[in-house]
């Protein structure tokens, strides 16, 4: 899939950047700093569910490096668990945002954010 390791690094960074964009843009709504437009949020979360599936295939053997700690490979089981937890949190955010219920969205949004942070704390190099 990737001819060179740096292509995998580029791919996971690009997909993570898009995830950050589509996740982060909802933060003002979750914090009640912007109005809750249920349809707009649901549409954005639909995009996010697709993006959220992308990075994990770009962490294959031999692609160590970039901003990822060696632990993502040495603790492959823990890394897989963390990415599965993230995907599950995204699935719950999809259900919540489709419901149009603000509080359900807010809670699910917060849980996705915790999942981002847990994995970054464990497996992303300190910046
Ligand atoms: C973002 C982003 C992250 C997460 C994290 C949530 O928007 O880029 O890495 O949210 O900060 O805790």
């Amino acid at each position: 899939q990737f001819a060179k390791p740096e292509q995998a690094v580029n791919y996971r960074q690009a997909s993570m950047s898009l995830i950050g964009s589509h996740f982060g843009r909802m933060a003002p709504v979750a914090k009640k700093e912007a109005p809750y437009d249920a349809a707009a949020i649901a549409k954005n979360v639909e995009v996010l569910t697709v993006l959220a599936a992308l990075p994990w295939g770009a962490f294959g053997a031999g692609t160590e490096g970039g901003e990822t700690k060696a632990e993502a490979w040495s603790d492959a089981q823990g890394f897989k668990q963390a990415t599965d937890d993230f995907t599950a949190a995204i699935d719950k955010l999809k259900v919540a945002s489709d419901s149009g219920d603000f509080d359900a969205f807010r809670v699910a949004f917060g849980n996705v954010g915790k999942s981002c942070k847990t994995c970054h704390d464990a497996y992303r190099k300190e910046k």
Side-chain angles (χ1 to χ4, degrees):
Q1 189 181 356
F2 301 104
K4 299 176 184 169
E6 57 262 39
Q7 291 172 337
V9 172
N10 281 342
Y11 185 95
R12 63 200 189 216
Q13 290 182 352
S15 52
M16 292 277 190
S17 174
L18 289 171
I19 290 168
S21 170
H22 282 270
F23 181 70
R25 71 182 63 183
M26 299 189 287
V29 177
K31 289 190 276 188
K32 302 186 183 180
E33 295 166 1
Y36 175 57
D37 177 340
I41 290 290
K43 200 169 181 185
N44 186 56
V45 170
E46 184 158 6
V47 173
L48 185 59
T49 59
V50 176
L51 298 175
L54 298 181
W56 322 119
F59 286 92
T63 68
E64 289 86 343
E67 293 182 14
T68 314
K69 288 183 187 169
E71 281 81 349
W73 290 272
S74 64
D75 173 27
Q77 205 178 333
F79 183 67
K80 170 83 165 59
Q81 185 64 57
T83 63
D84 284 350
D85 289 349
F86 169 74
T87 305
I90 289 285
D91 288 346
K92 286 184 180 165
L93 177 60
K94 174 82 166 65
V95 172
S97 62
D98 283 345
S99 79
D101 181 85
F102 174 76
D103 283 322
F105 159 73
R106 185 180 52 77
V107 170
F109 180 89
N111 286 333
V112 170
K114 279 181 205 154
S115 174
C116 298
K117 185 173 172 1
T118 301
C119 198
H120 289 160
D121 287 351
Y123 299 105
R124 185 172 67 177
K125 290 176 187 167
E126 265 86 331
K127 292 201 192 183

